[in-house]
Amino acid sequence: MSPEKNIKALVDYGIKTGLIDEGERIYTTNLILDVMDLDEYDVAKSAVEIRSYSNTGEELEEVLKGLIDDAVSRGVIEDDAISRDLFDTKLMNCLTPRPSYVRKRFEELYASSPLQATDWYYRFSCDTDYIRRYRIKKDMKWNTATPYGELDITINLSKPEKDPKAIAAAKNAPQSAYPKCQLCAENEGYRGRMNHPARENHRIIPIELSGEDFFFQYSPYVYYNEHCIVFNKRHVPMKIDKACFEKLFDFIRQFPHYTVGSNADLPIVGGSILSHDHFQGGRYEFPMARAEYVEEFRIPGYEDVEAGIIKWPLAVIRLRSEDYHRIIALATHILDAWRGYTDEEAYIFAETDGEPHNTITPIARKRGDVYEFDLALRNNITTDECPLGLYHPHNDLHHIKKENIGLIEVMGLAILPARLKTEMALLKDYILSGKDIAGEEAISSHAEWAVDFMKKYGNINEQNVDGILRDEIGLVFSQVLEDAGVYKQTPEGLAAFKRFIDTL
């Protein structure tokens, strides 16, 4: 297809999705010509039928690819994955309204309904290709039954693999402190570079949480439905404290159809960006939300707040009340107690050599008139046997999951590395053919695990092998979460958990 046809198709897409209107056709066409480094536009060559665009964005992907291929062929850009992503984001910015329009529209819809506002903003973030739907749909997703209920498993394939040329270019790119991190407000409209993603089609919504300025956006990778990020206007470190709890509940009051939580504020048990205060949420019921109490209790002075231990692989206290102020007060009391709590018998140490170890991963939600607050107790102590963390996936599970267990996984949704797609395909072949798994370097790390689980099944064949592999991966994730739990769901673990509760 000629560049004129793809340019017209992209402009048609903008009009059809409402990003621009018909009166902006010529203006938008000229913006795209500028990005494409073209001086002329032959209208006669642009004739193309108005196509329909699906919710998965494949047609948009095709149009953008045509324009990128043309730019590569003329030497406008280099032909590598990062350069292509930087360029198509620049193209989409030609269709993306200015921040003032986006914020005004969000405010107008919010005045009618928070749900209408987020529905529109999420669709907008998809239509601008900030959320690349055609990549998100490649993610592998399934559910696995475990002793803790069904867990949600995903193999993340939406982050593009960096090719060698792109890796080399990123390594040689000049270092910059602008924006300070990928969460900073300065990312809005930023053109990106070889070692920082383009955000020219990115628009953020200002909100206020407990008197502080924050911004609301969606994650470009959407690990779950309407995966949002709420980040501080200032580049300040994450901190779990009473103020954090107040902000979480303020967000829930403003967006009651969302769940929201915070990563812990210590390395190993925290998220990937501890340097910038932020929360994550979304319109999604996580498996943790379905967990029920294994034991209920009341804390002296807070008898009006329902409390209990839930049946979950991590150690979680759930608080429930119609008065969120009382939940915040009790949660702060629990946090303060946990920060300083040591139980040598259970190998819980508040600190060693002055380094603090105890913190909490908090999650807030609302059910009808009742607020819920889940407090996952965390500890980041390391040992000689577990240098990456005692309450971290242990070595025998690293073939499936080695990375830190952050907020999303604490709630029961696994985000597993893309390598597993090809490794499981190869493992499937070796299982069905009876070949030596340990002898193949690409999957040798899975050999012991595979030999062990294969004993459970009388006959593994072409019809059931995929389901077996998915279930076994899910069961490994369940073990990963158990490893991250400071108290296990065993008589000994629950007894140790109760010793802490008795101190409250």
Side-chain angles (χ1 to χ4, degrees), residues 255-454:
F255 302 94
H257 56 296
Y258 275 9
T259 290
V260 70
S262 174
N263 268 301
D265 54 357
L266 293 178
I268 297 177
V269 295
S272 58
I273 304 179
L274 294 177
S275 60
H276 196 131
D277 183 27
H278 71 284
F279 313 125
Q280 294 183 77
R283 193 176 174 190
Y284 189 77
E285 183 181 63
F286 289 91
M288 174 190 272
R290 298 190 290 269
E292 298 183 352
Y293 291 125
V294 293
E295 182 161 333
E296 296 186 55
F297 54 85
R298 289 290 188 272
I299 303 300
Y302 304 91
E303 290 85 358
D304 54 323
V305 179
E306 181 183 306
I309 299 169
I310 63 171
K311 185 173 177 58
W312 196 244
L314 286 92
V316 179
I317 296 173
R318 174 168 295 163
L319 308 178
R320 301 182 81 247
S321 175
E322 292 186 10
D323 185 348
Y324 68 90
H325 295 289
R326 293 295 291 161
I327 291 181
I328 291 170
L330 177 51
T332 303
H333 174 61
I334 292 170
L335 173 65
D336 291 343
W338 179 245
R339 290 279 196 196
Y341 183 73
T342 291
D343 181 348
E344 295 187 15
E345 182 183 345
Y347 213 87
I348 303 292
F349 293 89
E351 58 87 20
T352 55
D353 299 324
E355 178 187 353
H357 296 306
N358 290 347
T359 185
I360 278 176
T361 300
I363 301 103
R365 68 184 72 87
K366 192 178 184 185
R367 298 181 188 273
D369 294 329
V370 178
Y371 292 94
E372 283 188 357
F373 207 27
D374 287 346
L375 306 175
L377 307 183
R378 312 298 300 277
N379 180 289
N380 75 346
I381 197 167
T382 60
T383 65
D384 291 340
E385 296 78 16
C386 299
L388 297 178
L390 178 60
Y391 304 108
H392 176 87
H394 289 179
N395 295 347
D396 62 326
L397 306 180
H398 286 179
H399 65 103
I400 298 293
K401 177 71 176 177
K402 184 178 182 179
E403 298 78 14
N404 292 351
I405 302 304
L407 169 68
I408 296 170
E409 279 140 335
V410 165
M411 294 188 286
L413 191 156
I415 303 168
L416 301 179
R419 63 175 171 81
L420 287 178
K421 179 182 179 181
T422 53
E423 290 175 8
M424 290 306 108
L426 186 57
L427 182 59
K428 170 184 173 179
D429 175 58
Y430 270 61
I431 289 173
L432 292 177
S433 62
K435 290 187 282 190
D436 178 23
I437 299 169
E440 170 53 58
E441 183 179 358
I443 55 173
S444 59
S445 64
H446 300 299
E448 186 175 343
W449 166 64
V451 169
D452 187 50
F453 77 65
M454 286 165 63

Side-chain angles (χ1 to χ4, degrees), residues 455-474:
K455 298 173 185 174
K456 294 162 52 177
Y457 303 94
N459 178 33
I460 300 180
N461 53 54
E462 186 72 43
Q463 285 68 46
N464 65 14
V465 64
D466 290 322
I468 288 171
L469 283 170
R470 287 194 295 266
D471 284 346
E472 293 298 329
I473 289 173

Side-chain angles (χ1 to χ4, degrees), residues 129-178:
D129 207 37
Y130 166 70
I131 295 172
R132 298 172 186 260
R133 289 167 288 191
Y134 44 86
R135 289 184 183 169
I136 303 299
K137 76 181 186 68
K138 296 176 183 177
D139 291 348
M140 299 174 65
K141 301 179 180 182
W142 69 91
N143 308 106
T144 297
T146 77
Y148 309 99
E150 283 200 337
L151 299 181
D152 297 343
I153 313 298
T154 67
I155 295 179
N156 182 256
L157 303 170
S158 56
K159 287 188 178 182
E161 295 289 332
K162 294 182 180 179
D163 57 47
K165 285 174 61 178
I167 292 171
K171 181 179 179 182
N172 296 327
Q175 295 301 304
S176 172
Y178 182 88

